Amino acid sequence: MEQRTGGEPAPEDRQPTEEPQRPLPEKVRRKVVALTDDALGGMTVSELPASLRQYARFTPSRRARFGGNAMAAALESDAVFRGRIADHQREEFPALAEALNAGAPPAAADPVDVAALAYLLRPPGWGELVEAAGGEAERAEAERIGEEAAREAARLREELTQAQSAARDETARVKADLEAVRKENDALHRKLRSALSDVKRGEAAVRKAHAESEELRGQLAHHRTAADGEARRLRARAEEAEAALEAGRRAVREGRSVEDMRVRLLLDTVLDAAQGLRRELALPPTSQHPADLVEAVEPGRMTPGDIAQRALTEQDPALLDQLLALPQVHLLIDGYNVTKTGYPSLPLEKQRLRLLGGLSMLAAQSGAEVTCVFDGAELAVPVLLAPPRGVRVLFSKSGQTADELIRRLVRAEPKGRPVVVVSTDREVADGVAAAGARPVPSSLLLKRLGRT
């Protein structure tokens, strides 16, 4: 084909415009792009439009996928490029191209191939050929879709028939199940009424059992309280036994005996008492005769009634001074019993400090052994306390009361040593009195400290 400069065809090669009345069908368009892609493989880069040169090195499959729209646009806008593609197709399909130029496409040819080649060759009446081929392709597609729809409708009718049959069977089964459920429901109603009666009887039995359990729980709590008290007493005794055993072992390790220590302390007490009695009576050693020991009233001496009138009361602080004047006396104080009697509004720490300050002066004045016992259960944290001079400060261990610790201290003393216990607690007073100690009320100590 002869061409002019600038890529325009010669005037004699131009065909009258016979554009189809509607866009190319999609199948025809894809066929046109595929034919164009086949032709591009034999063309040089200079023969390609500028818009297609970037796809020249692509593989045919990638070129058709990525450059299809550009090929279609180039065919539509560039007549020279379209002519080159048409020449290539004439060489590929000479018989079909000849038939199209003659205006008589073969009846057996694929309508899509006829329309695509007619679009590229542009023979006379090519627009009608494209529309006819496109319509034929659409009719074929419509027939194919209709056949598929008919097959799908037949399949759906068959499935509907099967579903209806299954529904009838399911309905019959459901009716049978419903009748069985009704019968079972009636039986369940009867069982429910019977069960409700049983539940009511069971509730009455539960209420009765609950009342009995509450009563038993109360009795159990009472027995548990008594058992806890007994366990505490037994634990205290066991701890005393353990402490005594440990003290014995320690004395054995140190080569000394606890009994020797107790006897020595008792001997010192007796000797001091004898010496004090000798000084107090001021009797010559040789002036004592057995006849002088016979009780009688001599002229000018005091009678027992006179002596009774000079006795001190339990609330007289002088009584505590007389007790502290005894040889080797040991003064035991129930600490919180005294502080809560004398100054209960103060915090526990200040109560302890006030009491220990008074006891320190009392110990210095009397020279007696002074031990102050506090209840360890009152402690939230360990007490950082420096005991004052002459006063031993003890706290009861966990699970032990100050009363138990005081009784243990009294029992630890040898019989015959004077021990004075200060406590208003009647149980403590009775217990230490039975062990040989002299109980005095807390108010007596408070009066004596107030006089210091």
Side-chain angles (χ1 to χ4, degrees), residues 119-148:
Y119 176 80
L120 293 173
L121 299 179
R122 303 289 175 96
W126 68 273
E128 296 178 358
L129 289 175
V130 169
E131 288 191 0
E136 184 64 25
E138 290 179 353
R139 282 193 298 275
E141 181 68 16
E143 289 177 358
R144 183 185 65 78
I145 294 174
E147 291 175 357
E148 291 180 356

Side-chain angles (χ1 to χ4, degrees), residues 382-404:
V383 176
L384 300 178
L385 178 66
R389 183 183 297 275
V391 179
R392 182 187 297 108
V393 180
L394 299 177
F395 287 91
S396 62
K397 295 188 296 185
S398 176
Q400 184 185 55
T401 64
D403 300 348
E404 295 171 351

Side-chain angles (χ1 to χ4, degrees), residues 105-179:
D110 188 346
V112 175
D113 294 340
V114 172
L117 197 58
Y119 176 80
L120 293 173
L121 299 179
R122 303 289 175 96
W126 68 273
E128 296 178 358
L129 289 175
V130 169
E131 288 191 0
E136 184 64 25
E138 290 179 353
R139 282 193 298 275
E141 181 68 16
E143 289 177 358
R144 183 185 65 78
I145 294 174
E147 291 175 357
E148 291 180 356
R151 288 195 297 271
E152 181 67 16
R155 185 183 65 80
L156 291 176
R157 280 194 295 272
E158 183 179 358
E159 290 182 358
L160 177 60
T161 302
Q162 295 176 355
Q164 288 175 345
S165 177
R168 286 192 295 271
D169 296 340
E170 183 67 17
T171 301
R173 186 185 64 78
V174 167
K175 288 182 179 179
D177 292 344
L178 182 60
E179 184 64 25

Side-chain angles (χ1 to χ4, degrees), residues 222-452:
H222 175 71
H223 292 316
R224 183 179 298 156
T225 302
D228 289 343
E230 183 64 23
R232 283 196 299 271
R233 287 191 292 271
L234 293 176
R235 192 180 301 113
R237 292 184 180 179
E239 290 176 355
E240 292 176 7
E242 291 176 358
L245 179 59
E246 181 61 27
R249 289 173 179 172
R250 187 167 54 252
V252 170
R253 287 195 300 268
E254 296 174 358
R256 294 179 301 176
S257 171
V258 175
E259 291 300 326
D260 292 344
M261 179 182 63
R262 291 162 61 93
V263 170
R264 176 60 183 270
L265 182 59
L266 181 58
L267 180 59
D268 291 342
T269 301
V270 172
L271 292 176
D272 289 346
Q275 292 175 2
L277 183 59
R278 177 177 296 175
R279 287 194 303 270
E280 183 178 353
L281 296 178
L283 297 176
T286 57
S287 63
Q288 193 81 21
H289 297 87
D292 296 330
L293 301 178
V294 177
E295 186 177 358
V297 178
E298 299 180 6
R301 299 294 184 90
M302 290 188 299
T303 64
D306 297 330
I307 296 175
Q309 291 178 359
R310 295 180 58 185
L312 299 176
T313 65
E314 290 289 331
Q315 299 300 323
D316 191 344
L319 176 61
L320 185 58
D321 290 333
Q322 290 184 1
L323 293 174
L324 294 179
L326 294 174
Q328 299 292 327
V329 66
H330 188 183
L331 179 64
L332 289 172
I333 299 98
D334 188 353
Y336 287 133
N337 185 276
V338 175
T339 60
K340 292 180 180 180
T341 301
Y343 20 90
S345 60
L346 295 179
L348 291 181
E349 181 180 2
K350 293 186 177 181
Q351 290 181 20
R352 291 193 296 267
L353 293 176
R354 182 171 176 178
L355 175 60
L356 293 177
L359 293 178
S360 177
M361 290 187 290
L362 182 61
Q365 293 171 0
S366 63
E369 179 183 358
V370 179
T371 301
C372 186
V373 178
F374 292 103
D375 194 345
E378 299 283 350
L379 300 178
V381 294
V383 176
L384 300 178
L385 178 66
R389 183 183 297 275
V391 179
R392 182 187 297 108
V393 180
L394 299 177
F395 287 91
S396 62
K397 295 188 296 185
S398 176
Q400 184 185 55
T401 64
D403 300 348
E404 295 171 351
L405 181 55
I406 290 173
R407 285 193 287 268
R408 287 178 55 195
L409 290 171
V410 172
R411 287 194 293 269
E413 295 293 342
K415 292 188 179 300
R417 185 187 183 187
V419 179
V420 179
V421 178
V422 179
S423 178
T424 309
D425 192 330
R426 177 50 54 187
E427 183 178 356
V428 176
D430 293 343
V432 298
R438 174 66 161 83
V440 296
S442 298
S443 58
L444 184 62
L445 176 62
L446 290 169
K447 289 180 181 180
R448 176 62 181 83
L449 295 178
R451 197 183 67 185
T452 303

Side-chain angles (χ1 to χ4, degrees), residues 81-101:
F81 174 67
R82 186 174 63 250
R84 291 170 179 163
I85 300 300
D87 293 342
H88 178 78
Q89 300 306 324
R90 286 191 185 95
E91 295 176 358
E92 290 291 326
F93 307 101
L96 182 57
E98 189 67 26
L100 288 176
N101 286 329

